[in-house]
Amino acid sequence: MAFEVRWNSRTGTGTPDNRDFGGVGLRGAAAIAMIADGATTRPQSGALAERLVRTIIERFMTESGSVTPEILRGWLSACHQPLTHVFSAASASYLILYKETNGTAFTMHAGDCLIGSVSGANAITWLVQPHTLANAITTRMDIADIAASELRHRLTRSFRHRAFMPPTETILPPLDGPLVLATDGFWADADHDDQLRMMTGQASDAHGHRDDSSILQIWPSQEDPAPEFIVDAGPNFLLCR
């Protein structure tokens, strides 16, 4: 599988630690990419986000064969009790992308992490909806309108203590272009210009209070012959291959 990956994560002002975490696992003709966003207001949420990403990607690397939505949902359910027992006060949003070279691709998500397809002008078409009170009673709401609502900070689904909340499954259409996985600090808090700066690897000039902001960009490799994998990543990122 030939593609390139770039992880870009900025620490916000709400907590001293960056509570976003991302990762990619590559196994034969299949790959899994995941981001998680630990809650700003709940202690140990950054640690939960990291452990959740590591648990799922490392499980993927030890298995063989294709991964179905049922299998991935089972992995999430199986790790829920052990992780929430350790991090009982914590909460995290997450999104997982599973993709095979034959075109099979689907996502699982709970909370306010999103995935979008990117056009040549770096315009993003978001492919899923976040789980927030802002859009709880609508089937489809414009992401910009969700971002502008204070109700978006109240999540209706996430990875947290008590009962396991099944994620939303989305089967993706054939997508040959770039994809971006993003936390809400990117799609909701960053303005258009700041989003472009992050997507092109430039420094942010954002001021004032802001959330951790992270994106995991994935696109087909342009090198010839194409390498198996290229990654450009900083802290808070796990790579397994």
Side-chain angles (χ1 to χ4, degrees):
M1 179 171 290
F3 59 87
E4 301 179 39
V5 169
R6 178 186 295 149
W7 168 251
N8 190 341
S9 184
R10 300 188 317 221
T11 303
T13 59
T15 60
D17 58 324
N18 186 334
R19 299 188 176 187
D20 292 349
F21 202 87
V24 168
L26 182 68
R27 175 168 55 80
I32 195 167
M34 183 173 181
I35 59 171
D37 177 0
T40 301
T41 58
R42 291 174 175 264
Q44 296 188 302
S45 291
L48 172 61
E50 176 179 356
R51 284 282 294 275
L52 180 58
V53 171
R54 289 187 179 277
T55 298
I56 296 302
I57 291 181
E58 289 172 359
R59 177 68 182 268
F60 167 74
M61 297 301 295
T62 62
E63 299 289 332
S64 60
S66 296
V67 176
T68 65
E70 292 74 22
I71 289 173
L72 183 53
R73 192 180 297 108
W75 295 352
L76 289 163
S77 178
C79 72
H80 178 262
Q81 196 281 330
L83 291 184
T84 57
H85 177 74
V86 175
F87 305 106
S88 59
S91 174
S93 298
Y94 66 86
L95 184 141
I96 307 169
L97 167 68
Y98 174 78
K99 192 174 188 328
E100 296 181 355
T101 53
N102 65 6
T104 299
F106 66 86
T107 67
M108 292 272 186
H109 81 288
D112 55 11
C113 295
L114 300 183
I115 182 171
S117 60
V118 185
S119 73
N122 280 330
I124 302 173
T125 300
W126 297 109
L127 304 175
V128 300
Q129 292 265 293
H131 298 120
T132 79
L133 277 182
N135 59 317
I137 60 174
T138 64
T139 57
R140 193 78 188 176
M141 184 173 174
D142 189 89
I143 295 300
D145 292 335
I146 298 173
S149 172
E150 284 298 315
L151 292 176
R152 74 168 183 84
H153 297 289
R154 301 286 298 275
L155 300 185
T156 57
R157 198 175 304 190
S158 64
F159 194 95
R160 60 178 181 257
H161 193 48
R162 298 181 182 174
F164 173 65
M165 296 181 175
T168 295
E169 169 195 337
T170 304
I171 304 299
L172 298 182
L175 296 169
D176 296 325
L179 296 171
V180 59
L181 285 64
T183 63
D184 69 316
F186 175 84
W187 65 261
D189 284 347
D191 62 27
H192 178 69
D193 290 342
D194 204 28
Q195 290 179 354
L196 287 178
R197 280 188 286 270
M198 282 198 72
M199 293 177 70
T200 55
Q202 302 176 55
S204 168
D205 64 356
H207 301 285
H209 178 81
R210 62 186 186 277
D211 196 2
D212 300 332
S213 180
S214 303
I215 53 171
L216 178 56
Q217 295 170 271
I218 304 171
W219 59 93
S221 175
Q222 301 300 311
E223 293 195 12
D224 187 22
E228 184 182 61
F229 194 81
I230 295 177
V231 62
D232 177 13
N236 290 28
F237 187 82
L238 171 68
L239 170 64
C240 293
R241 57 179 171 174

